Coordinates of all heavy atoms in Angstrom, one line a residue:
M27 N -27.0 -2.6 18.5 CA -25.7 -2.2 19.0 C -25.4 -3.1 20.2 O -24.3 -3.5 20.4 CB -25.8 -0.7 19.4 CG -24.4 -0.1 19.7 SD -23.6 0.6 18.3 CE -24.1 2.3 18.4
D28 N -26.4 -3.3 21.1 CA -26.1 -4.2 22.2 C -25.7 -5.6 21.8 O -24.8 -6.2 22.4 CB -27.4 -4.3 23.1 CG -27.7 -2.9 23.8 OD1 -26.8 -2.1 23.9 OD2 -28.9 -2.7 24.2
R29 N -26.3 -6.1 20.8 CA -26.0 -7.4 20.3 C -24.6 -7.5 19.8 O -23.8 -8.4 20.1 CB -27.0 -7.9 19.2 CG -26.7 -9.2 18.7 CD -27.9 -9.8 17.9 NE -27.6 -11.0 17.2 CZ -27.4 -12.2 17.7 NH1 -27.5 -12.3 19.0 NH2 -27.2 -13.3 16.9
V30 N -24.1 -6.5 19.1 CA -22.8 -6.5 18.6 C -21.8 -6.4 19.7 O -20.8 -7.1 19.8 CB -22.6 -5.3 17.6 CG1 -21.1 -5.0 17.3 CG2 -23.3 -5.5 16.3
A31 N -22.1 -5.5 20.7 CA -21.2 -5.4 21.9 C -21.1 -6.7 22.6 O -20.0 -7.1 23.1 CB -21.7 -4.3 22.8
K32 N -22.3 -7.4 22.8 CA -22.3 -8.6 23.6 C -21.5 -9.7 22.8 O -20.6 -10.4 23.4 CB -23.7 -9.1 23.7 CG -23.8 -10.4 24.5 CD -25.3 -10.8 24.7 CE -25.4 -12.1 25.5 NZ -26.7 -12.6 25.6
L33 N -21.7 -9.8 21.5 CA -20.9 -10.8 20.7 C -19.5 -10.5 20.7 O -18.6 -11.4 20.8 CB -21.5 -10.9 19.3 CG -22.9 -11.5 19.2 CD1 -23.4 -11.3 17.7 CD2 -23.0 -12.9 19.6
A34 N -19.1 -9.2 20.6 CA -17.7 -8.8 20.5 C -16.9 -9.1 21.8 O -15.7 -9.2 21.7 CB -17.6 -7.3 20.1
S35 N -17.6 -9.2 22.9 CA -16.9 -9.4 24.2 C -16.9 -10.9 24.5 O -16.3 -11.2 25.6 CB -17.6 -8.6 25.2 OG -18.9 -9.1 25.5
Q36 N -17.4 -11.8 23.7 CA -17.5 -13.2 24.1 C -16.2 -14.0 23.9 O -16.1 -15.1 24.4 CB -18.7 -13.9 23.5 CG -20.0 -13.4 24.1 CD -21.2 -14.1 23.4 OE1 -21.1 -14.7 22.4 NE2 -22.3 -14.0 24.1
K37 N -15.3 -13.5 23.1 CA -14.1 -14.2 22.7 C -13.0 -13.1 22.5 O -13.2 -12.0 22.3 CB -14.3 -15.0 21.5 CG -13.3 -16.1 21.3 CD -13.7 -17.2 20.4 CE -12.6 -18.2 20.3 NZ -12.9 -19.2 19.3
A38 N -11.7 -13.6 22.7 CA -10.6 -12.6 22.6 C -10.6 -11.9 21.2 O -10.3 -10.7 21.1 CB -9.3 -13.4 22.8
V39 N -10.9 -12.6 20.1 CA -11.0 -12.0 18.8 C -12.3 -12.3 18.2 O -12.7 -13.5 18.1 CB -9.8 -12.5 17.9 CG1 -10.0 -11.9 16.5 CG2 -8.5 -12.1 18.5
V40 N -13.0 -11.3 17.7 CA -14.3 -11.5 17.0 C -14.2 -10.7 15.7 O -13.8 -9.6 15.7 CB -15.4 -11.0 17.9 CG1 -16.8 -11.1 17.2 CG2 -15.5 -11.7 19.2
I41 N -14.7 -11.4 14.7 CA -14.7 -10.8 13.3 C -16.1 -10.8 12.8 O -16.7 -11.9 12.7 CB -13.7 -11.5 12.3 CG1 -12.3 -11.5 12.9 CG2 -13.8 -10.9 11.0 CD1 -11.4 -12.3 12.0
F42 N -16.6 -9.7 12.4 CA -17.9 -9.6 11.7 C -17.6 -9.5 10.3 O -16.8 -8.7 9.9 CB -18.7 -8.4 12.2 CG -19.2 -8.5 13.6 CD1 -18.4 -8.0 14.6 CD2 -20.4 -9.2 13.9 CE1 -18.8 -8.1 16.0 CE2 -20.8 -9.3 15.2 CZ -20.0 -8.8 16.2
S43 N -18.2 -10.4 9.5 CA -17.8 -10.6 8.1 C -19.0 -10.9 7.2 O -20.1 -10.9 7.7 CB -16.9 -11.9 8.1 OG -16.5 -12.3 6.9
K44 N -18.7 -11.0 5.9 CA -19.7 -11.5 5.0 C -19.1 -12.6 4.2 O -17.9 -12.5 3.8 CB -20.2 -10.4 4.0 CG -21.1 -9.4 4.7 CD -21.7 -8.4 3.7 CE -22.7 -7.5 4.4 NZ -23.2 -6.5 3.5
S45 N -19.8 -13.7 3.9 CA -19.2 -14.8 3.3 C -18.7 -14.5 1.8 O -17.8 -15.2 1.3 CB -20.2 -16.0 3.2 OG -21.4 -15.6 2.6
S46 N -19.3 -13.5 1.2 CA -18.9 -13.2 -0.2 C -17.8 -12.1 -0.3 O -17.4 -11.7 -1.4 CB -20.1 -12.7 -0.9 OG -20.7 -11.5 -0.3
C47 N -17.3 -11.6 0.9 CA -16.3 -10.5 0.9 C -14.9 -11.0 0.8 O -14.4 -11.7 1.8 CB -16.6 -9.7 2.2 SG -15.3 -8.5 2.5
C48 N -14.1 -10.6 -0.2 CA -12.8 -11.1 -0.3 C -11.8 -10.5 0.7 O -10.9 -11.2 1.2 CB -12.2 -10.8 -1.7 SG -12.1 -9.1 -2.2
M49 N -12.0 -9.3 1.2 CA -11.2 -8.7 2.2 C -11.5 -9.4 3.5 O -10.6 -9.6 4.3 CB -11.4 -7.2 2.3 CG -10.8 -6.5 1.1 SD -9.1 -6.8 0.8 CE -8.3 -6.2 2.3
C50 N -12.7 -9.8 3.7 CA -13.1 -10.5 5.0 C -12.3 -11.9 5.0 O -11.7 -12.3 6.0 CB -14.6 -10.8 5.0 SG -15.6 -9.3 5.2
H51 N -12.3 -12.5 3.9 CA -11.6 -13.8 3.7 C -10.1 -13.6 4.0 O -9.5 -14.4 4.8 CB -11.8 -14.4 2.3 CG -11.0 -15.6 2.1 ND1 -11.4 -16.9 2.7 CD2 -9.8 -15.8 1.4 CE1 -10.5 -17.8 2.3 NE2 -9.5 -17.2 1.6
A52 N -9.5 -12.6 3.5 CA -8.1 -12.3 3.7 C -7.8 -12.0 5.2 O -6.8 -12.5 5.8 CB -7.6 -11.1 2.9
I53 N -8.6 -11.3 5.9 CA -8.4 -11.0 7.3 C -8.6 -12.2 8.1 O -7.8 -12.5 9.1 CB -9.4 -9.8 7.7 CG1 -9.0 -8.5 7.0 CG2 -9.4 -9.6 9.3 CD1 -7.6 -8.0 7.3
K54 N -9.6 -13.0 7.9 CA -9.8 -14.3 8.6 C -8.6 -15.1 8.5 O -8.1 -15.7 9.4 CB -11.1 -15.0 8.1 CG -12.4 -14.3 8.5 CD -13.6 -15.0 8.1 CE -13.9 -14.8 6.7 NZ -15.2 -15.4 6.3
R55 N -8.1 -15.2 7.3 CA -6.9 -16.1 7.0 C -5.7 -15.6 7.7 O -4.9 -16.3 8.3 CB -6.7 -16.1 5.5 CG -5.6 -17.0 5.1 CD -5.7 -17.5 3.6 NE -4.6 -18.3 3.3 CZ -4.7 -19.6 3.3 NH1 -5.8 -20.2 3.7 NH2 -3.7 -20.4 3.0
L56 N -5.5 -14.3 7.8 CA -4.4 -13.7 8.5 C -4.5 -14.1 10.0 O -3.4 -14.5 10.5 CB -4.5 -12.1 8.4 CG -3.5 -11.4 9.3 CD1 -2.1 -11.6 8.9 CD2 -3.8 -9.9 9.4
F57 N -5.6 -14.0 10.6 CA -5.7 -14.4 12.0 C -5.4 -16.0 12.2 O -4.8 -16.4 13.1 CB -7.1 -14.0 12.6 CG -7.1 -12.6 13.0 CD1 -7.7 -11.7 12.1 CD2 -6.6 -12.2 14.2 CE1 -7.7 -10.4 12.5 CE2 -6.6 -10.8 14.5 CZ -7.2 -9.9 13.7
Y58 N -6.0 -16.8 11.3 CA -5.7 -18.2 11.4 C -4.2 -18.5 11.2 O -3.7 -19.3 11.9 CB -6.5 -19.0 10.3 CG -8.0 -19.1 10.6 CD1 -8.9 -18.8 9.6 CD2 -8.5 -19.4 11.8 CE1 -10.3 -18.9 9.8 CE2 -9.8 -19.5 12.0 CZ -10.7 -19.2 11.0 OH -12.1 -19.3 11.2
E59 N -3.6 -17.8 10.3 CA -2.1 -18.0 10.1 C -1.3 -17.5 11.3 O -0.2 -18.0 11.5 CB -1.7 -17.3 8.9 CG -2.2 -18.0 7.6 CD -1.9 -17.3 6.3 OE1 -1.3 -16.2 6.3 OE2 -2.2 -17.8 5.2
Q60 N -1.9 -16.6 12.2 CA -1.2 -16.2 13.4 C -1.4 -17.1 14.5 O -0.9 -17.0 15.6 CB -1.7 -14.8 13.8 CG -1.5 -13.7 12.8 CD 0.0 -13.4 12.5 OE1 0.8 -13.3 13.4 NE2 0.3 -13.3 11.2
G61 N -2.3 -18.1 14.3 CA -2.5 -19.1 15.3 C -3.7 -18.7 16.2 O -3.9 -19.3 17.3
V62 N -4.5 -17.8 15.7 CA -5.7 -17.3 16.5 C -6.9 -18.0 15.9 O -7.1 -18.2 14.7 CB -5.8 -15.8 16.3 CG1 -7.0 -15.3 17.0 CG2 -4.6 -15.1 16.9
S63 N -7.8 -18.3 16.8 CA -9.1 -18.9 16.4 C -10.2 -17.9 16.8 O -10.8 -18.0 17.9 CB -9.3 -20.2 17.1 OG -10.5 -20.8 16.8
P64 N -10.5 -17.0 15.9 CA -11.5 -16.0 16.2 C -13.0 -16.5 16.1 O -13.2 -17.5 15.4 CB -11.3 -14.9 15.1 CG -10.8 -15.7 13.9 CD -10.0 -16.8 14.5
A65 N -13.8 -15.8 16.8 CA -15.3 -16.0 16.6 C -15.6 -15.3 15.3 O -15.3 -14.1 15.2 CB -16.1 -15.6 17.8
I66 N -16.3 -15.9 14.4 CA -16.7 -15.2 13.2 C -18.2 -15.2 13.0 O -18.8 -16.2 13.2 CB -16.0 -15.9 12.0 CG1 -14.5 -15.8 12.1 CG2 -16.5 -15.3 10.7 CD1 -13.7 -16.6 11.1
Y67 N -18.7 -14.0 12.7 CA -20.1 -13.9 12.5 C -20.3 -13.4 11.0 O -19.9 -12.3 10.7 CB -20.8 -12.9 13.5 CG -20.7 -13.4 14.9 CD1 -19.6 -13.0 15.7 CD2 -21.6 -14.4 15.4 CE1 -19.5 -13.5 17.0 CE2 -21.5 -14.9 16.7 CZ -20.5 -14.5 17.5 OH -20.4 -15.0 18.7
E68 N -20.9 -14.2 10.2 CA -21.2 -13.9 8.8 C -22.5 -13.2 8.7 O -23.5 -13.8 8.9 CB -21.2 -15.2 7.9 CG -19.9 -16.0 8.0 CD -18.8 -15.3 7.2 OE1 -18.9 -14.3 6.6 OE2 -17.6 -15.9 7.3
L69 N -22.5 -11.9 8.6 CA -23.7 -11.1 8.6 C -24.7 -11.5 7.6 O -25.9 -11.3 7.8 CB -23.3 -9.6 8.5 CG -22.5 -9.1 9.6 CD1 -22.2 -7.6 9.5 CD2 -23.0 -9.4 11.0
D70 N -24.2 -12.0 6.4 CA -25.2 -12.4 5.4 C -25.8 -13.7 5.7 O -26.7 -14.2 5.0 CB -24.5 -12.4 4.0 CG -23.3 -13.2 3.9 OD1 -22.7 -13.5 5.0 OD2 -22.9 -13.6 2.8
E71 N -25.4 -14.4 6.7 CA -26.0 -15.7 7.1 C -26.7 -15.6 8.5 O -27.3 -16.6 8.9 CB -24.9 -16.7 7.2 CG -24.3 -17.0 5.8 CD -23.1 -17.9 5.9 OE1 -22.7 -18.4 7.0 OE2 -22.5 -18.1 4.8
E72 N -26.6 -14.4 9.2 CA -27.2 -14.2 10.5 C -28.7 -13.7 10.3 O -28.9 -12.9 9.4 CB -26.5 -13.2 11.3 CG -25.1 -13.6 11.7 CD -25.1 -14.5 13.0 OE1 -26.1 -14.4 13.8 OE2 -24.2 -15.3 13.1
A73 N -29.6 -14.2 11.1 CA -31.0 -13.7 11.0 C -31.1 -12.2 11.2 O -31.8 -11.5 10.6 CB -31.8 -14.4 12.1
R74 N -30.3 -11.7 12.1 CA -30.3 -10.2 12.4 C -29.0 -9.5 11.9 O -28.6 -8.5 12.4 CB -30.4 -10.0 13.9 CG -31.7 -10.6 14.5 CD -31.8 -10.5 16.0 NE -31.8 -9.2 16.5 CZ -31.6 -8.9 17.8 NH1 -31.4 -9.9 18.7 NH2 -31.5 -7.7 18.2
G75 N -28.5 -10.1 10.8 CA -27.3 -9.6 10.2 C -27.4 -8.1 9.7 O -26.4 -7.3 9.9
R76 N -28.5 -7.8 9.1 CA -28.6 -6.4 8.6 C -28.6 -5.4 9.8 O -28.0 -4.3 9.7 CB -29.9 -6.3 7.9 CG -30.1 -5.1 7.0 CD -29.2 -5.3 5.7 NE -29.3 -4.0 5.0 CZ -28.3 -3.4 4.5 NH1 -27.1 -3.8 4.6 NH2 -28.5 -2.3 3.8
E77 N -29.3 -5.7 10.9 CA -29.3 -4.9 12.1 C -27.9 -4.7 12.7 O -27.5 -3.7 13.0 CB -30.2 -5.6 13.1 CG -30.4 -4.9 14.4 CD -31.2 -5.6 15.4 OE1 -32.2 -6.3 14.9 OE2 -30.9 -5.6 16.6
M78 N -27.1 -5.8 12.7 CA -25.8 -5.8 13.2 C -24.9 -5.0 12.3 O -24.0 -4.3 12.7 CB -25.2 -7.2 13.4 CG -25.9 -8.0 14.5 SD -25.0 -9.5 15.0 CE -25.4 -10.5 13.5
E79 N -25.1 -5.1 11.0 CA -24.3 -4.3 10.0 C -24.5 -2.8 10.3 O -23.6 -2.0 10.2 CB -24.7 -4.6 8.6 CG -23.9 -4.0 7.5 CD -24.1 -4.5 6.2 OE1 -25.0 -5.4 6.0 OE2 -23.5 -4.0 5.2
W80 N -25.8 -2.3 10.5 CA -26.0 -1.0 10.8 C -25.4 -0.5 12.1 O -24.8 0.6 12.2 CB -27.6 -0.7 10.9 CG -28.2 -0.6 9.5 CD1 -29.0 -1.5 8.9 CD2 -28.0 0.5 8.6 NE1 -29.3 -1.1 7.6 CE2 -28.8 0.1 7.4 CE3 -27.3 1.6 8.6 CZ2 -28.8 0.9 6.3 CZ3 -27.4 2.4 7.4 CH2 -28.1 2.1 6.3
A81 N -25.4 -1.4 13.1 CA -24.7 -1.1 14.4 C -23.2 -0.9 14.2 O -22.6 0.0 14.8 CB -25.0 -2.2 15.4
L82 N -22.6 -1.7 13.3 CA -21.2 -1.6 13.1 C -20.9 -0.3 12.4 O -19.9 0.4 12.7 CB -20.7 -2.8 12.2 CG -20.7 -4.1 12.9 CD1 -20.5 -5.3 11.9 CD2 -19.6 -4.2 14.0
M83 N -21.8 0.1 11.5 CA -21.6 1.4 10.8 C -21.7 2.5 11.7 O -20.9 3.5 11.6 CB -22.5 1.5 9.6 CG -22.1 0.5 8.5 SD -23.3 0.3 7.1 CE -24.0 1.8 6.7
R84 N -22.6 2.4 12.7 CA -22.7 3.5 13.7 C -21.5 3.6 14.6 O -21.2 4.6 15.1 CB -24.0 3.3 14.5 CG -25.2 3.7 13.8 CD -26.4 3.8 14.8 NE -26.8 2.6 15.4 CZ -27.5 1.6 14.9 NH1 -28.1 1.7 13.7 NH2 -27.8 0.5 15.6
L85 N -20.8 2.4 14.8 CA -19.5 2.4 15.5 C -18.4 3.1 14.8 O -17.3 3.3 15.3 CB -19.1 1.0 15.9 CG -19.9 0.4 17.0 CD1 -19.4 -1.1 17.1 CD2 -19.5 1.0 18.3
G86 N -18.6 3.3 13.5 CA -17.6 3.9 12.7 C -16.9 3.0 11.7 O -15.9 3.4 11.1
C87 N -17.4 1.8 11.6 CA -16.8 0.9 10.7 C -17.3 1.1 9.3 O -18.5 0.8 9.0 CB -17.1 -0.6 11.2 SG -16.0 -1.8 10.3
S88 N -16.5 1.6 8.4 CA -16.9 1.9 7.0 C -15.8 1.5 6.1 O -14.7 2.0 6.2 CB -17.2 3.4 6.9 OG -17.6 3.6 5.6
P89 N -16.0 0.4 5.3 CA -17.2 -0.4 5.1 C -17.5 -1.2 6.4 O -16.6 -1.3 7.3 CB -16.8 -1.3 3.9 CG -15.4 -1.4 3.9 CD -14.8 -0.1 4.5
S90 N -18.7 -1.7 6.4 CA -19.1 -2.4 7.7 C -18.4 -3.7 7.9 O -18.3 -4.1 9.1 CB -20.6 -2.6 7.6 OG -20.9 -3.5 6.5
V91 N -17.8 -4.4 6.9 CA -17.1 -5.6 7.1 C -15.8 -5.5 6.3 O -15.7 -4.9 5.3 CB -17.9 -6.8 6.7 CG1 -19.1 -7.0 7.6 CG2 -18.4 -6.8 5.3
P92 N -14.7 -6.2 6.8 CA -14.7 -6.9 8.0 C -14.5 -5.9 9.2 O -13.9 -4.9 9.1 CB -13.4 -7.7 7.9 CG -12.5 -6.9 6.9 CD -13.5 -6.3 6.0
A93 N -15.1 -6.3 10.3 CA -15.0 -5.5 11.5 C -14.4 -6.4 12.6 O -14.9 -7.4 12.9 CB -16.4 -5.0 12.0
V94 N -13.2 -5.9 13.1 CA -12.5 -6.8 14.0 C -12.5 -6.2 15.4 O -12.1 -5.0 15.6 CB -11.0 -7.0 13.5 CG1 -10.2 -7.8 14.5 CG2 -11.0 -7.6 12.1
F95 N -12.8 -7.0 16.4 CA -12.8 -6.7 17.8 C -11.7 -7.5 18.4 O -11.7 -8.7 18.3 CB -14.1 -6.9 18.4 CG -15.2 -5.9 18.0 CD1 -15.8 -6.1 16.7 CD2 -15.6 -4.9 18.8 CE1 -16.8 -5.2 16.3 CE2 -16.6 -4.1 18.4 CZ -17.2 -4.2 17.2
I96 N -10.8 -6.9 19.2 CA -9.8 -7.7 20.0 C -10.0 -7.2 21.4 O -9.9 -6.1 21.7 CB -8.4 -7.4 19.5 CG1 -8.3 -7.8 18.0 CG2 -7.4 -8.1 20.3 CD1 -6.9 -7.4 17.3
G97 N -10.1 -8.2 22.3 CA -10.3 -7.9 23.7 C -11.6 -7.2 23.9 O -11.7 -6.4 24.9
G98 N -12.6 -7.4 23.1 CA -13.9 -6.7 23.3 C -13.9 -5.3 22.7 O -15.0 -4.6 22.8
K99 N -12.8 -4.8 22.2 CA -12.8 -3.4 21.7 C -12.7 -3.4 20.2 O -11.9 -4.2 19.6 CB -11.5 -2.7 22.3 CG -11.6 -2.5 23.7 CD -10.4 -1.8 24.3 CE -10.6 -1.7 25.8 NZ -9.3 -1.7 26.4
F100 N -13.4 -2.5 19.6 CA -13.3 -2.3 18.1 C -11.9 -1.8 17.7 O -11.5 -0.8 18.2 CB -14.4 -1.4 17.6 CG -14.3 -1.1 16.1 CD1 -14.5 -2.1 15.2 CD2 -14.2 0.2 15.7 CE1 -14.4 -1.9 13.9 CE2 -14.1 0.4 14.3 CZ -14.3 -0.6 13.4
V101 N -11.2 -2.6 16.9 CA -9.9 -2.3 16.5 C -10.0 -1.6 15.1 O -9.3 -0.6 14.8 CB -9.0 -3.5 16.4 CG1 -7.6 -3.1 15.9 CG2 -8.8 -4.1 17.8
G102 N -10.7 -2.2 14.2 CA -10.8 -1.6 12.9 C -11.2 -2.5 11.8 O -11.6 -3.7 12.1
S103 N -11.1 -2.1 10.6 CA -11.4 -2.8 9.4 C -10.1 -3.4 8.8 O -9.1 -3.4 9.4 CB -12.1 -1.9 8.4 OG -12.8 -2.7 7.5
A104 N -10.2 -3.8 7.6 CA -9.1 -4.5 6.9 C -7.8 -3.6 6.8 O -6.7 -4.1 7.2 CB -9.5 -4.9 5.5
N105 N -8.0 -2.3 6.5 CA -6.8 -1.4 6.4 C -6.1 -1.3 7.8 O -4.8 -1.4 7.8 CB -7.2 0.0 5.9 CG -7.5 0.0 4.5 OD1 -7.1 -0.9 3.7 ND2 -8.2 1.0 4.0
T106 N -6.8 -1.1 8.8 CA -6.2 -1.0 10.2 C -5.5 -2.3 10.6 O -4.4 -2.3 11.1 CB -7.3 -0.6 11.2 OG1 -7.9 0.6 10.7 CG2 -6.7 -0.4 12.6
I107 N -6.2 -3.4 10.4 CA -5.6 -4.7 10.8 C -4.3 -5.0 10.0 O -3.3 -5.4 10.6 CB -6.6 -5.8 10.6 CG1 -7.9 -5.6 11.5 CG2 -6.0 -7.2 10.8 CD1 -7.6 -5.5 13.0
M108 N -4.3 -4.7 8.7 CA -3.1 -4.9 7.9 C -2.0 -4.0 8.3 O -0.8 -4.4 8.4 CB -3.4 -4.8 6.4 CG -4.3 -5.9 5.8 SD -3.7 -7.5 6.2 CE -2.3 -7.6 5.2
T109 N -2.3 -2.8 8.6 CA -1.3 -1.8 9.1 C -0.7 -2.3 10.4 O 0.5 -2.3 10.6 CB -1.9 -0.4 9.3 OG1 -2.4 0.0 8.1 CG2 -0.9 0.6 9.9
L110 N -1.5 -2.7 11.4 CA -1.1 -3.3 12.7 C -0.2 -4.5 12.5 O 0.8 -4.7 13.1 CB -2.2 -3.6 13.6 CG -3.1 -2.4 14.1 CD1 -4.3 -2.9 14.8 CD2 -2.2 -1.6 15.0
H111 N -0.6 -5.4 11.5 CA 0.2 -6.6 11.2 C 1.5 -6.2 10.7 O 2.6 -6.7 11.1 CB -0.6 -7.4 10.3 CG 0.2 -8.6 9.8 ND1 0.6 -9.6 10.6 CD2 0.6 -9.0 8.5 CE1 1.3 -10.5 9.9 NE2 1.3 -10.2 8.7
L112 N 1.6 -5.3 9.7 CA 2.8 -4.9 9.1 C 3.8 -4.2 10.0 O 5.0 -4.3 9.9 CB 2.6 -4.1 7.8 CG 1.9 -4.9 6.7 CD1 1.5 -3.9 5.5 CD2 2.8 -6.0 6.2
N113 N 3.3 -3.4 10.9 CA 4.2 -2.7 11.8 C 4.4 -3.5 13.1 O 5.2 -3.0 14.0 CB 3.7 -1.3 12.2 CG 2.5 -1.2 13.1 OD1 2.2 -2.1 13.8 ND2 1.7 -0.1 13.0
G114 N 3.9 -4.7 13.2 CA 4.3 -5.6 14.3 C 3.4 -5.4 15.6 O 3.6 -6.1 16.5
S115 N 2.4 -4.5 15.6 CA 1.7 -4.3 16.8 C 0.5 -5.2 17.0 O -0.1 -5.3 18.0 CB 1.2 -2.9 17.0 OG 1.2 -2.1 15.9
L116 N 0.1 -5.9 15.9 CA -1.1 -6.8 16.0 C -0.8 -8.0 17.0 O -1.6 -8.3 17.8 CB -1.4 -7.4 14.6 CG -2.6 -8.3 14.5 CD1 -3.9 -7.6 15.1 CD2 -2.9 -8.8 13.1
K117 N 0.4 -8.6 16.9 CA 0.7 -9.7 17.8 C 0.6 -9.2 19.3 O 0.2 -10.0 20.1 CB 2.1 -10.3 17.5 CG 2.0 -11.2 16.3 CD 3.2 -12.2 16.3 CE 3.0 -13.1 15.1 NZ 3.5 -14.3 15.3
K118 N 1.1 -8.0 19.5 CA 1.1 -7.5 20.9 C -0.4 -7.4 21.4 O -0.7 -7.8 22.5 CB 1.8 -6.1 20.9 CG 1.8 -5.5 22.3 CD 2.5 -4.2 22.3 CE 2.7 -3.6 23.6 NZ 1.5 -2.7 24.0
L119 N -1.2 -6.8 20.5 CA -2.7 -6.7 20.9 C -3.3 -8.1 21.1 O -4.0 -8.3 22.1 CB -3.4 -6.1 19.8 CG -3.3 -4.5 19.7 CD1 -4.1 -4.1 18.4 CD2 -3.9 -3.9 20.9
L120 N -2.9 -9.1 20.3 CA -3.4 -10.4 20.4 C -3.0 -11.1 21.7 O -3.7 -11.8 22.4 CB -3.1 -11.3 19.2 CG -3.7 -10.8 17.9 CD1 -3.1 -11.6 16.7 CD2 -5.2 -11.0 17.9
R121 N -1.7 -10.9 22.1 CA -1.2 -11.4 23.3 C -1.9 -10.8 24.5 O -2.3 -11.5 25.5 CB 0.3 -11.2 23.4 CG 1.1 -12.3 22.8 CD 2.6 -12.2 23.2 NE 3.4 -12.4 22.0 CZ 3.9 -11.5 21.2 NH1 3.8 -10.2 21.5 NH2 4.5 -11.9 20.1
E122 N -2.0 -9.5 24.5 CA -2.7 -8.8 25.6 C -4.2 -9.2 25.8 O -4.7 -9.3 26.9 CB -2.7 -7.3 25.4 CG -1.3 -6.7 25.5 CD -1.2 -5.2 25.1 OE1 -2.2 -4.7 24.6 OE2 -0.1 -4.7 25.3
A123 N -4.8 -9.6 24.7 CA -6.2 -10.1 24.8 C -6.3 -11.5 25.1 O -7.4 -12.0 25.4 CB -6.9 -9.8 23.4
G124 N -5.2 -12.2 25.2 CA -5.2 -13.6 25.5 C -5.5 -14.5 24.3 O -5.8 -15.7 24.5
A125 N -5.4 -14.0 23.1 CA -5.6 -14.8 21.9 C -4.4 -15.6 21.5 O -4.5 -16.5 20.7 CB -6.1 -13.8 20.8
L126 N -3.2 -15.1 21.9 CA -2.0 -15.8 21.6 C -1.3 -16.1 22.9 O -1.3 -15.3 23.8 CB -1.0 -14.9 20.7 CG -1.3 -14.8 19.3 CD1 -0.3 -13.8 18.7 CD2 -1.3 -16.1 18.6
W127 N -0.6 -17.2 23.0 CA 0.1 -17.6 24.2 C 1.6 -17.3 24.1 O 2.3 -17.2 25.1 CB -0.2 -19.0 24.5 CG -1.6 -19.3 24.8 CD1 -2.5 -19.9 23.9 CD2 -2.4 -18.8 25.9 NE1 -3.8 -19.8 24.4 CE2 -3.7 -19.2 25.7 CE3 -2.1 -18.2 27.1 CZ2 -4.7 -19.0 26.6 CZ3 -3.1 -18.0 28.0 CH2 -4.4 -18.4 27.7
L128 N 2.1 -17.4 22.9 CA 3.6 -17.2 22.7 C 3.9 -15.9 22.1 O 3.2 -15.3 21.4 CB 4.1 -18.3 21.8 CG 3.9 -19.7 22.4 CD1 4.3 -20.8 21.4 CD2 4.7 -19.9 23.7

């Protein structure tokens, strides 16, 4: 849990992902298309990935990936991020976190 919290606070946007997950790919692409350069941690490629996955599930992320943190705070998974994007509030969160300048 401490490792996830530490990693999540190191950059304005952090995504915990799996390289084989299609929803993770879609969420990463959404952020790139918004002009955001998130820190991405592929849990299936991390030495302690399984441990981090359990920590994400304890935080309430179900499924465990993609798990998106903005400004060090857990925002949600794919459904939440897509909802925020569609209703226009994702850009506001990104600006407040310093991930977007315009």
Side-chain angles (χ1 to χ4, degrees):
M27 193 89 93
D28 291 337
R29 178 162 171 76
V30 168
K32 183 179 177 185
L33 293 172
S35 65
Q36 289 182 341
K37 200 160 180 186
V39 177
V40 176
I41 301 172
F42 291 92
S43 173
K44 285 188 179 176
S45 59
S46 60
C47 170
C48 63
M49 288 309 294
C50 294
H51 176 75
I53 293 300
K54 290 183 280 190
R55 186 159 179 94
L56 171 69
F57 280 98
Y58 288 132
E59 288 174 359
Q60 300 296 313
V62 175
S63 180
I66 297 173
Y67 296 96
E68 301 288 355
L69 298 183
D70 55 341
E71 297 172 1
E72 291 278 332
R74 295 172 64 191
R76 195 78 181 128
E77 179 184 323
M78 290 190 291
E79 187 173 359
W80 282 107
L82 290 167
M83 288 170 39
R84 283 194 301 274
L85 281 174
C87 194
S88 180
S90 59
V91 293
V94 178
F95 290 77
I96 300 176
K99 296 181 183 148
F100 175 61
V101 176
S103 198
N105 287 341
T106 304
I107 298 303
M108 291 307 291
T109 300
L110 291 170
H111 173 61
L112 293 172
N113 73 22
S115 18
L116 181 60
K117 280 205 179 204
K118 181 178 183 274
L119 283 174
L120 294 171
R121 273 191 222 99
E122 289 172 355
L126 282 178
W127 299 103
L128 301 172

